[in-house]
């Protein structure tokens, strides 16, 4: 019997196949005592297992490249955290086995993170995955992970660790569905990069029986269990029509009546550039430079290393626009040399621009490196600061850019509601705004972007979030300046039309989403987008806003 379930669609496309479940998590090791004379041997076993897991994560990262590489390298650093290792060795010295010591030490660290207001829930999930891999190696059991299968399948999991998502084989994994996660979780972002249809935050996903046939619509978030032949045909026809439309749509982003909306790519470094170019990106709307800094949490990369990485990206877009976000550290991206270790709530503490203003040498080096990387290139370089709260923040950043001799446009990210409310004030100091809708939603609704239980509040269709986008765009228009969106909201083709109608001047997203957005924008006039935006803002819920916009654009 066909039934329909609904989660949150996070990666476009349709997948039809049999369910396969993610391998089970490692069981809790027994709590048995070892003789004192065995402690040194057990400590050696623990160190070897930790080093092996870290090396495996680094190797996976090298294979995956791009954003996935940065995420996996961060996990490798987590595995080798000196404080965690000290705790493991201490527990072994008082009688624990290596596997039990790892399990208990990670559990204690996990509790510390969970009690810090749960902002670090995504980091907790990564921590659990690292623990499971180390314990599995010590116990000599298979690693938890993607099932072995010779036939293509739809993967079902409670959540997917970055190490698993990064190396999914699209030839075998037709799509995936998770119970946890949200539209801006690591798994969702990596799924879009892979181009694998995905749905997250689906209650009861793990209860689907092995071998059940499901159809996954990564655009709508719908899961059809035991779909009829008619439903399969309907979904396949829709997917084929979508693919044909994508192939026919080329060139710069624009509405059907010629209103230009530059479509830019979000990148984490040089490895992401080929996909952006292939998708026809008109430039880079968000260069996440923090991935350069995750290689070594103890110190910042040298100026020379930064210049090399920045120049590779800048050279790829001659005459194009490249928007670089300076280091955004803190909260779920802590760096030992930069961010406080003992903040009770890192999400509301010293992160982003606040960290850089506390460490002006780090900011100065990065800005100098950007200036040198752009020398002699015909690129339109723009540099923006994360977590700008007010005009004073914007002025401090612009002053730092000028002092570093940077010849570029200076901008501010709108991720804090105060920045949207006072957009015109901030634009007295900088030349453009860029809306980071992921964090803006998080701070607007007090809803952690990594926690599946509050994913409805992370939905970028929330009318209150659209109101803040509109305020920012209106403020920029009044000042004669630009206001783009570089959050994951831009990757939703229908929402891209609404954002255009709200007055957003450019859209930046993962490369895989660019063809979908280009094709959809080209179907509608600017006036239609504006009417859809008004209808969405008049709704009282995210689903209501989506339906209202769809109704306007479909002419119903």
């Amino acid at each position: 019997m066909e039934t329909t379930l609904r989660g949150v669609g996070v990666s476009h496309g349709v997948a039809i196949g049999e369910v396969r479940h993610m391998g089970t998590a490692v069981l809790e090791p027994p709590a048995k005592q070892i003789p004192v004379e065995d402690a040194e041997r057990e400590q050696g076993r623990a160190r070897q297992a930790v080093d092996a897991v870290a090396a495996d994560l680094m190797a996976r990262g090298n294979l995956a490249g791009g954003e996935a590489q940065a995420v996996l390298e961060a996990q490798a650093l987590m595995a080798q955290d000196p404080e965690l290792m000290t705790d493991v060795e201490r527990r072994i010295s008082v009688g624990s086995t290596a596997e039990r010591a790892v399990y208990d030490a990670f559990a204690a660290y996990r509790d510390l993170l969970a009690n810090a207001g749960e902002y670090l829930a995504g980091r907790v999930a990564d921590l659990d995955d690292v623990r499971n891999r180390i314990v599995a190696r010590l116990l000599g059991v298979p690693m938890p992970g993607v099932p072995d299968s010779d036939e293509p399948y739809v993967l079902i999991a409670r959540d997917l660790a970055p190490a698993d998502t990064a190396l999914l084989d699209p030839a075998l994994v037709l799509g995936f569905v998770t119970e946890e996660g949200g539209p801006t979780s690591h798994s969702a972002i990596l799924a879009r990069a892979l181009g694998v249809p995905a749905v997250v935050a689906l209650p009861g996903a793990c209860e689907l029986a092995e071998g059940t046939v499901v159809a996954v619509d990564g655009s709508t978030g719908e899961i059809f269990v035991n779909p009829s032949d008619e439903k399969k045909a309907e979904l396949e026809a829709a997917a084929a029509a979508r693919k044909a439309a994508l192939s026919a749509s080329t060139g710069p982003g624009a509405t059907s009546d010629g209103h230009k909306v530059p479509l830019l790519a979000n990148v984490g470094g040089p490895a992401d550039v080929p996909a952006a170019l292939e998708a026809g990106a008109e430039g880079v709307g968000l260069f996440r430079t923090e991935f350069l800094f995750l290689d070594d949490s103890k110190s910042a990369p040298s100026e020379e290393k930064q210049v090399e990485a920045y120049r590779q990206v800048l050279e790829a877009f001659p005459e194009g626009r490249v928007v670089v976000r300076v280091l955004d550290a803190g909260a779920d991206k802590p760096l030992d040399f930069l961010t406080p270790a003992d903040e009770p709530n890192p999400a509301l503490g010293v992160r982003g621009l606040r960290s850089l203003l506390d460490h002006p040498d780090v900011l100065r080096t990065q800005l100098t490196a950007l200036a040198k990387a752009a020398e002699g290139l015909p690129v339109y370089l723009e540099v923006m600061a994360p977590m700008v709260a007010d005009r004073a923040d914007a002025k401090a950043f612009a002053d730092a850019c000028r002092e570093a001799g940077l010849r570029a446009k200076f901008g501010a990210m709108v991720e804090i509601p105060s920045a949207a409310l006072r957009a015109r004030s901030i634009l007295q100091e900088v030349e453009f705004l860029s809306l980071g809708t992921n964090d803006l939603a998080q701070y607007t609704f007090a809803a952690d972007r990594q926690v599946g239980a509050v994913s409805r509040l992370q939905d970028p269709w929330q009318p209150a979030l659209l109101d803040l986008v509109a305020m920012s765009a209106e403020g920029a228009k009044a000042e004669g300046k630009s206001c783009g969106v570089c959050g994951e909201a831009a990757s939703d083709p229908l929402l891209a039309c609404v954002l255009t109608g709200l007055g957003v001047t450019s859209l930046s997203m993962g490369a895989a989403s660019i063809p979908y957005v280009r094709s959809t924008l080209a179907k509608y006039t600017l006036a239609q987008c504006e009417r859809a935006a008004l209808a969405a803002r008049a709704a009282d819920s995210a689903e209501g806003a989506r339906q209202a916009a769809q109704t306007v654009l479909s002419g119903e």
Side-chain angles (χ1 to χ4, degrees), residues 57-58 62 68-78 291 294-295:
L57 290 168
M58 292 290 284
N62 289 333
Q69 181 172 5
V71 172
L72 293 173
E73 287 176 351
Q75 269 198 298
L77 291 172
M78 187 186 297
F291 292 133
L294 292 174
D295 287 343

Side-chain angles (χ1 to χ4, degrees), residues 76-96:
L77 291 172
M78 187 186 297
Q80 295 178 305
D81 184 285
E83 292 183 17
L84 264 173
M85 199 62 224
T86 298
D87 191 21
V88 168
E89 293 184 341
R90 179 190 64 78
R91 292 172 187 273
I92 293 173
S93 70
V94 295
S96 283

Side-chain angles (χ1 to χ4, degrees), residues 353-354 357 385-398 412-430 433:
L353 179 61
R354 299 168 187 174
L357 294 179
M387 300 299 292
V388 171
D390 57 14
R391 182 172 178 174
D393 278 351
K395 183 178 187 305
F397 177 66
M413 291 198 69
V414 178
E415 301 165 287
I416 303 172
S418 63
L421 294 167
R422 302 288 293 172
R424 293 192 67 176
S425 173
I426 287 172
L427 284 166
Q428 304 309 304
E429 304 294 342
V430 294
L433 299 177

Side-chain angles (χ1 to χ4, degrees), residues 17 20 101-102 156 169 220 245 247-248 265 319 363 380 406 452 463 474 538 545 555:
R20 295 285 182 274
V102 168
I156 306 290
D169 181 355
T220 66
S247 300
E319 305 295 339
L363 177 58
Y380 296 96
L406 190 60
E474 288 163 5

Side-chain angles (χ1 to χ4, degrees), residues 237-255:
R242 192 179 299 155
K243 185 174 181 180
L246 294 179
S247 300
S249 177
T250 58
T255 58

Side-chain angles (χ1 to χ4, degrees), residues 360-380:
D361 54 323
V362 175
L363 177 58
R364 188 182 309 111
T365 299
Q366 183 170 26
L367 295 174
T368 302
L370 283 165
K372 290 182 178 179
E375 283 179 3
L377 296 180
V379 68
Y380 296 96

Side-chain angles (χ1 to χ4, degrees), residues 23 36 57 64 118 184 196 232 242 317 387 460 476 518:
V36 174
L57 290 168
E118 284 198 297
T184 59
V196 176
K232 289 180 185 177
R242 192 179 299 155
F317 295 94
M387 300 299 292
R518 181 192 294 117

Side-chain angles (χ1 to χ4, degrees), residues 292-293 296-303 306 327 337 362 365:
L292 279 172
F293 291 74
D296 180 1
S297 68
K298 304 297 181 186
S299 62
S302 67
E303 182 181 301
Q306 292 188 55
L327 176 61
F337 67 90
V362 175
T365 299

